[in-house]
Amino acid sequence: MTSVSEQFDFSDMEDAFAAAGGRDRSVRFLPPTGPAPLEITGARLGRTKDGTKPTLNMSLRMLDGESVGETVWRKNIYSKEDAKSLNRLNSDLLTAGLKIIKLEELNDQSTLDRLKGVVIAASIKVTDASKGFYDVYLNRRITEEATGEASF
């Protein structure tokens, strides 16, 4: 074994390192199915892979359970031809406490930034474990600001 030129004394950290755990990030994270408190950490507009429809992508941090700290994603794909998609988009925004009058308001990143820190009681459903697919449903707002703690 090749050693580094400077040696460090890690003896006082060994127990903490063993207890810290960790996860191989090369393996896709699959959240557990069921209720979960989530904090919105970001939101941005995008497009579907084929570029034909706009999307609203929200990143949400898990606040409870074995997956605390992990990120899950909620993606709204919407179009004028699909009224249900627009209803889901507006419902998600209202659940997160963001009321808009026109969709064009979403073009302003400061509008989307108002979602950051909102804690949501959500439900997660794994749809295809072999591919790492899951759906996130925003059920109700718990708080307006991130607290680090949430309860149902």
Side-chain angles (χ1 to χ4, degrees):
M1 177 166 118
T2 306
S3 64
V4 293
S5 59
E6 182 181 357
Q7 297 294 307
F8 295 92
D9 179 9
F10 293 114
S11 60
D12 63 335
M13 288 187 254
E14 295 297 351
D15 289 340
F17 178 75
R23 181 174 73 78
D24 180 353
R25 300 236 184 248
S26 65
V27 177
R28 177 176 266 185
F29 168 69
L30 189 64
T33 290
L38 305 173
E39 176 190 355
I40 300 173
T41 57
R44 64 178 174 79
L45 293 179
R47 291 206 168 270
T48 53
K49 288 182 183 179
D50 63 8
T52 60
K53 295 178 183 162
T55 63
L56 174 64
N57 306 295
M58 282 190 260
S59 58
L60 303 112
R61 184 173 59 94
M62 300 192 74
L63 297 177
D64 196 19
E66 291 180 17
S67 301
V68 67
E70 294 287 352
T71 298
V72 294
W73 295 88
R74 168 77 175 147
K75 179 185 279 192
N76 288 93
I77 301 171
Y78 49 100
S79 70
K80 66 180 179 181
E81 295 83 19
D82 184 1
K84 286 184 180 181
S85 70
L86 293 170
N87 178 278
R88 282 190 302 271
L89 171 66
N90 199 30
S91 293
D92 281 357
L93 293 173
L94 291 170
T95 299
L98 182 62
K99 182 176 175 138
I100 61 171
I101 305 302
K102 293 185 172 199
L103 281 172
E104 67 186 31
E105 294 176 60
L106 298 178
N107 284 319
D108 184 350
Q109 186 61 45
S110 67
T111 298
L112 296 175
D113 288 345
R114 293 181 5 220
L115 296 168
K116 288 182 183 178
V118 175
V119 177
I120 300 287
S123 298
I124 299 173
K125 180 181 178 186
V126 174
T127 56
D128 188 338
S130 66
K131 294 181 181 175
F133 294 163
Y134 57 88
D135 290 326
V136 176
Y137 303 96
L138 308 184
N139 298 325
R140 66 180 169 83
R141 184 173 54 253
I142 297 175
T143 64
E144 296 290 331
E145 298 176 328
T147 61
E149 296 179 18
S151 62
F152 288 93

